[in-house]
Amino acid sequence: MRCSKRKCNNPAIIYQNYSGLHFCEAHFVEDVERKAKKEMRKQLMVERGDKIAVALSGGKDSAALLYMLKRIFHNRNDLEFFAIAVDEGIKGFRAITLRNAEKVAEELNVAFFLFSFEHEFGFTLDEIVAKGFEQAPCTFCGVLRRKILDIKAKELGATKVAIGHNLDDEVQTILINYIRGDVERLGRLRGRREEFVPRIKPLRGVPEEEVALYALVAGIPVNNVYCPYASLSFRFTVKKMLNEFERRHPGTRYSLMRGYEKLSEFLPTQGGRKLLRCEICGEVSASGMCKACEIIGRMK
Ligand code: SF4
Ligand code: ZN
């Protein structure tokens, strides 16, 4: 098949089911970057003088994000990028992806900062899991990783934290909150978070398989190892369901995203809800004790 772009006769490397278009390598890269730029403009993600901490896990999404940001903004001397990685302590998995993260940061010439659960909290995720709590490992993992990212990004002087979430991740999160009936959290997905370093997600309009292909085309080193705990999460069930929907009804992900964006204008954001401080660590939180300190308390 040939590229669908006018006047381009190059062989296509991808067919987009949802748009009905074929793209050659150059036009595919252009299309992915166009989607990211549009998202960044729409949400004013990158501003003059920003110092952006990219959360780098070593997986394809965050590596592709760092590569793309460096590429798109290569002549913006006012911007600064660096990478933050978190070692949750997951045997047989994280050490491999962290080596990759370091390699990616080095190749892209950005400073690399590594922090660990073990050092910051005194225990690893594997040790939390060994306690046999009823919640899935991802629940603990997500809360504690966010905590480290927030604190360290602030300490390192970042004005934004960039996260590699793609379209699939975003739509899964939306659907998870719908299913749980968590309207408050649905609203919070959009609003800027007061007092925290704002988060940006430039890839939130790019489907997962396209981020993977983008990384491949760019020659970014990625390794195909998967977290042993991923399949235990609710997200995993939702992901499988969404993939099936998308396969049978191409465009489902985009229509869910568009529907959510229209709806979210009517949802309450943080406004009106008073932010408290955690009595233990002093960080802003929704209640008197933040989720991270609650977990730390349970581990004692
Ligand atoms: Fe953590 Fe879950 Fe991601 Fe594994 S899949 S790294 S447990 S959030
Ligand atoms: Zn083309």
Side-chain angles (χ1 to χ4, degrees):
M1 286 309 269
R2 298 277 151 186
C3 180
S4 312
K5 276 273 171 173
R6 252 171 55 114
K7 294 192 182 141
C8 180
N9 199 31
N10 289 331
I13 63 162
I14 185 175
Y15 172 63
Q16 289 175 339
N17 243 327
Y18 57 86
S19 69
L21 297 174
H22 290 87
F23 286 120
C24 68
E25 185 173 315
H27 285 121
F28 165 69
V29 168
E30 188 186 278
D31 187 63
V32 170
E33 292 181 353
R34 179 188 58 81
K35 283 171 180 153
K37 284 180 196 160
K38 184 175 147 204
E39 201 62 47
M40 286 193 271
R41 263 197 313 273
K42 198 165 82 186
Q43 313 223 359
L44 281 178
M45 286 184 184
V46 177
E47 294 159 296
R48 189 142 259 300
D50 262 342
K51 189 171 173 185
I52 300 178
V54 178
L56 193 67
S57 69
K60 65 175 187 335
D61 300 295
S62 58
L65 173 62
L66 182 57
Y67 172 89
M68 183 189 287
L69 289 172
K70 289 282 285 182
R71 202 173 116 92
I72 292 178
F73 297 110
H74 68 276
N75 53 11
R76 285 281 301 271
N77 295 326
D78 60 307
L79 301 176
E80 189 186 327
F81 297 96
F82 62 92
I84 297 185
V86 179
D87 181 359
E88 303 94 344
I90 304 170
K91 210 162 171 279
F93 165 66
R94 197 44 100 202
I96 302 170
T97 65
L98 284 174
R99 266 200 301 280
N100 201 48
E102 200 171 356
K103 197 161 111 194
V104 170
E106 201 184 302
E107 276 183 21
L108 295 173
N109 204 13
V110 299
F112 179 75
F113 298 92
L114 175 63
F115 304 98
S116 71
F117 279 18
E118 173 122 62
H119 187 262
E120 303 299 322
F121 307 123
F123 46 81
T124 64
L125 184 66
D126 284 342
E127 284 165 357
I128 300 181
V129 175
K131 294 266 184 193
F133 298 126
E134 90 189 48
Q135 293 103 318
C138 294
T139 308
F140 300 100
C141 190
V143 168
L144 296 177
R145 188 180 33 223
R146 257 194 305 276
K147 176 97 175 168
I148 291 187
L149 276 178
D150 273 337
I151 292 176
K152 299 301 173 184
K154 211 185 313 173
E155 276 177 20
L156 291 165
T159 53
K160 303 274 164 61
V161 177
I163 312 275
H165 286 182
N166 57 44
L167 175 67
D168 295 56
D169 297 321
E170 286 295 283
V171 175
Q172 285 158 21
T173 305
I174 291 165
L175 213 52
I176 287 170
N177 289 314
Y178 273 132
I179 294 171
R180 291 192 171 140
D182 198 336
V183 178
E184 197 181 318
R185 188 162 294 175
L186 265 179
R188 260 188 282 155
L189 276 181
R190 255 176 68 121
R192 280 219 170 185
R193 306 177 316 153
E194 300 295 331
E195 293 225 28
F196 291 104
V197 182
R199 290 222 171 135
I200 60 171
K201 299 173 186 170
L203 299 179
R204 70 191 283 276
V206 185
E208 178 160 4
E209 67 279 7
E210 294 186 25
V211 177
L213 184 59
Y214 181 87
L216 188 78
V217 166
I220 300 166
V222 284
N223 30 36
N224 289 316
V225 283
Y226 297 96
C227 176
Y229 302 129
S231 63
L232 303 174
S233 66
F234 184 48
R235 180 175 293 274
F236 189 75
T237 312
V238 171
K239 182 186 174 107
K240 278 197 300 191
M241 188 177 90
L242 254 177
N243 287 350
E244 180 61 14
F245 259 107
E246 184 68 34
R247 198 177 62 75
R248 290 179 183 235
H249 308 282
T252 296
R253 288 171 296 187
Y254 279 118
S255 54
L256 271 165
M257 176 68 97
R258 274 196 303 273
Y260 167 71
E261 279 177 353
K262 278 186 218 150
L263 189 68
S264 70
E265 285 164 28
F266 304 101
L267 292 170
T269 53
Q270 215 140 57
R273 211 168 51 99
K274 242 187 86 192
L275 277 177
L276 303 167
R277 291 215 170 255
C278 170
E279 282 162 20
I280 297 175
C281 70
E283 284 291 314
V284 230
S285 107
S287 66
M289 195 197 281
C290 74
K291 287 251 160 34
C293 285
E294 210 178 290
I295 296 170
I296 296 165
R298 283 171 78 181
M299 283 300 287
K300 280 197 181 133

